[in-house]
Amino acid sequence: MARRCLGDRQARREELVARHAARRAELKGVVAHPATPPDVRDDAVRRLARLPRDGSRVRLRSRDAVDGRPRGVLARFGLSRMRFRAMALRGELPGVRKASR
């Protein structure tokens, strides 16, 4: 069970990523384009550096939807490997069965 503050921090980061995604993509496009003049590229790099660090998508962490465990998360289900196994064995995940009987 992860601490609640870590889940809250993750939610705040997700909100920041959503808020700054368009601006960040625009600036990264200017920086990456080969025909961009050096002075415009430098300006774009400076503006990109002024955006909040937590607004970057790389800073997000996949977490278990139930208890917030950060490791071993199966993206398809949003659950950690241990919680997935327990819920599958109890029959709580529709359409999921054990491979061997």
Side-chain angles (χ1 to χ4, degrees), residues 52-97:
R53 283 186 178 188
D54 281 346
S56 174
R57 181 132 176 71
V58 178
R59 309 263 300 199
L60 293 178
R61 178 82 189 224
S62 58
R63 289 188 173 271
D64 185 320
V66 178
D67 65 0
R69 186 178 201 281
R71 295 179 182 228
V73 177
L74 303 172
R76 183 173 174 188
F77 297 94
L79 300 170
S80 68
R81 59 188 172 78
M82 295 175 292
R83 181 157 315 269
F84 172 79
R85 184 171 190 274
M87 290 177 77
L89 289 175
R90 288 192 305 257
E92 296 176 1
L93 299 175
V96 176
R97 317 183 333 185

Side-chain angles (χ1 to χ4, degrees), residues 5-99:
C5 66
L6 297 178
D8 294 343
R9 186 182 308 162
Q10 179 72 7
R12 189 179 69 245
R13 282 185 182 142
E14 288 171 359
E15 186 266 326
L16 270 174
V17 167
R19 187 184 329 155
H20 294 287
R23 184 72 182 138
R24 184 173 283 281
E26 176 188 331
L27 289 171
K28 286 177 81 75
V30 170
V31 171
H33 196 277
T36 305
D39 57 331
V40 175
R41 179 175 285 124
D42 291 342
D43 184 50
V45 168
R46 275 192 225 91
R47 286 173 162 188
L48 193 58
R50 280 198 304 252
L51 290 175
R53 283 186 178 188
D54 281 346
S56 174
R57 181 132 176 71
V58 178
R59 309 263 300 199
L60 293 178
R61 178 82 189 224
S62 58
R63 289 188 173 271
D64 185 320
V66 178
D67 65 0
R69 186 178 201 281
R71 295 179 182 228
V73 177
L74 303 172
R76 183 173 174 188
F77 297 94
L79 300 170
S80 68
R81 59 188 172 78
M82 295 175 292
R83 181 157 315 269
F84 172 79
R85 184 171 190 274
M87 290 177 77
L89 289 175
R90 288 192 305 257
E92 296 176 1
L93 299 175
V96 176
R97 317 183 333 185
K98 281 187 61 154

